[in-house]
Amino acid sequence: MVQFAVRRPAASDEPVWDRATFERQLRDKERFYHIHHPFHVEMNSGGLPREAVQGWVANRFYYQTSIPIKDAAVMANCRDRDTRRLWAQRILDHDGVEGEDGGIEAWLQLGEAVGLDRAELADERHVLPGVRFAVDAYVNFARSASFEEAACSSLTELFAPTIHQRRLDNWPTIYPWIDETGYIYFRKRLNEARRDVEHGLAVTLDHFQTRDEQEYALNILQFKLDILWTMLDAIWMAYIEHKPPFYCCTS
């Protein structure tokens, strides 16, 4: 099992940040969000070939299918019923309920829209080892962390609406070959991400009370940012540099 421990800062004599300052420190982490990765910069400006877009969709599907598993692990470490009721909505958002498709189904539709069939998404044939390793590390962190620590790691959702909106604004023009039915996921997540942020942010601001705890929360959020960035590093090597894993090994 892949497990990572987030570095805990040494005890600090620095003054505790007030709530507004602590929130600002968390939001300032946006500069490390994967929207700034060269792959995303190219993808959202129209610079990627079809194969690279398909590769991103296929690899990201592994992340999408792992999110409800991660959230179930987060809930398993929560003793408060009312909090679990709120967090359970995240699982339903991805898995869906009877009569209402969830985010995983919406991502399958995105896969079809970019020219992939459901079978090749479902059997994970395109998932790169680096992507699998990073996603599994995140899921296992959620299993081993406290509820509040895992909730804090979810705060990359602070920055998600921007990236979804950018895709909705740009992709129909720069990728006319993508069927627009594939954009349901991005529209869906615009409101869901904002709602999720309100809950996760409140948990984080309430729980991490001392300065060293607040610094630890920043390290947790950075860990999640590292996960997302590392996924794109692997995708960039495979689909932009054309150097997938073991490309230089003889058969």
Side-chain angles (χ1 to χ4, degrees):
M1 178 183 293
V2 179
Q3 288 189 341
F4 283 91
V6 176
R7 182 180 62 84
R8 286 183 177 272
S12 174
D13 294 327
E14 295 295 318
V16 177
W17 288 317
D18 61 39
R19 197 175 181 90
T21 302
F22 184 23
E23 179 175 343
R24 186 164 60 250
Q25 293 289 332
L26 292 165
R27 290 185 181 276
D28 281 349
K29 286 287 187 179
E30 189 276 340
R31 66 188 184 277
F32 301 116
Y33 192 49
H34 63 169
I35 194 173
H36 304 298
H37 191 285
F39 189 91
H40 263 315
V41 172
E42 290 290 327
M43 185 164 63
N44 291 320
S45 63
L48 292 188
R50 184 182 302 235
E51 178 193 28
V53 175
Q54 291 175 329
W56 175 76
V57 170
N59 277 273
R60 181 78 182 190
F61 184 66
Y62 185 68
Y63 178 84
Q64 300 304 136
T65 56
S66 297
I67 291 300
I69 298 171
K70 179 270 299 183
D71 284 321
V74 174
M75 286 179 58
N77 292 326
C78 179
R79 298 293 301 176
D80 182 71
R81 179 180 61 173
D82 291 337
T83 301
R84 289 197 304 270
R85 283 173 172 170
L86 289 173
W87 207 270
Q89 185 59 50
R90 295 171 184 247
I91 298 175
L92 299 180
D93 287 343
H94 280 80
D95 285 345
V97 295
E98 186 174 352
E100 184 178 338
D101 294 333
I104 291 175
E105 172 60 28
W107 200 271
L108 285 166
Q109 292 174 19
L110 174 62
E112 292 175 324
V114 302
L116 300 170
D117 63 55
R118 289 174 175 244
E120 60 187 310
L121 289 174
D123 67 16
E124 302 174 4
R125 72 186 70 171
H126 300 298
V127 178
L128 299 164
V131 170
R132 188 183 300 276
F133 190 87
V135 174
D136 289 353
Y138 180 42
V139 173
N140 287 315
F141 170 78
R143 288 194 178 110
S144 60
S146 70
F147 166 74
E148 293 83 3
E149 290 167 344
C152 178
S153 74
S154 75
L155 287 182
T156 50
E157 293 286 4
L158 282 165
F159 322 122
T162 298
I163 203 169
H164 296 318
Q165 190 62 61
R166 191 165 298 178
R167 292 165 186 155
L168 290 169
D169 291 342
N170 295 348
W171 281 29
T173 300
I174 60 182
Y175 300 118
W177 52 271
I178 297 179
D179 189 317
E180 291 203 22
T181 58
Y183 299 142
I184 293 172
Y185 178 86
F186 305 140
R187 296 190 184 96
K188 185 175 186 298
R189 287 303 298 165
L190 278 174
N191 291 327
E192 290 174 354
R194 293 188 180 101
R195 180 208 63 213
D196 292 347
V197 160
E198 291 180 8
H199 185 210
L201 185 59
V203 169
T204 301
L205 295 176
D206 289 342
H207 177 74
F208 296 90
Q209 292 290 319
T210 66
R211 178 60 177 269
D212 52 305
E213 287 174 350
Q214 292 172 331
E215 296 279 3
Y216 179 47
L218 293 179
N219 289 350
I220 292 171
L221 180 53
Q222 184 63 55
F223 164 75
K224 174 62 182 306
L225 291 162
D226 292 347
I227 292 292
L228 297 174
W229 197 275
T230 297
M231 290 169 61
L232 287 183
D233 282 347
I235 293 170
W236 177 276
M237 285 298 295
Y239 296 101
I240 304 301
E241 298 292 332
H242 302 293
K243 295 177 179 179
F246 316 116
Y247 76 96
C248 58
C249 300
T250 58
S251 58

